[in-house]
């Protein structure tokens, strides 16, 4: 369920840029990792699906279970508004 939410957030961020005549963000990976502080880090939990499959633990910073964390729309909006 997180992919549609993240897609919606980045669509709204692109909408902010387009509304003031700027180009869309484009490839997001560099933007995300350069602005990791604009994401709420998830530090607890795991993505295992059964008691027999451990999966990955959430840890401080980037991890395979949660990436850089949950996007903070207000913080990201301020960042995209300031980009050329």
């Amino acid at each position: 369920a997180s992919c549609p939410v993240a897609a919606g957030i980045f669509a709204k961020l692109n909408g902010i840029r387009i509304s003031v005549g700027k180009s869309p963000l484009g490839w997001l990976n560099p933007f995300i990792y350069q602005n990791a502080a604009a994401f709420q880090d998830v530090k607890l939990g795991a993505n295992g699906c059964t008691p027999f499959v451990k999966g990955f633990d959430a840890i401080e910073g980037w991890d395979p279970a949660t990436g850089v964390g949950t996007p903070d729309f207000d913080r990201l909006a301020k960042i995209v508004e300031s980009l050329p």
Side-chain angles (χ1 to χ4, degrees), residues 11-78:
K12 287 183 65 84
L13 293 172
N14 276 330
I16 290 170
R17 292 184 53 77
I18 291 168
S19 72
V20 294
K22 295 181 179 179
S23 63
L25 291 167
W27 190 44
L28 293 173
N29 286 10
F31 174 79
I32 290 169
Y33 292 109
Q34 290 168 2
N35 296 287
F39 291 76
Q40 179 65 42
D41 191 11
V42 178
K43 303 173 188 174
L44 182 65
N47 68 347
C49 57
T50 71
F52 307 106
V53 178
K54 177 151 174 38
F56 296 100
D57 292 327
I59 58 171
E60 188 168 339
W62 183 91
D63 58 75
T66 65
V68 295
T70 329
D72 181 329
F73 179 80
D74 292 331
R75 291 174 81 180
L76 289 167
K78 289 177 185 168

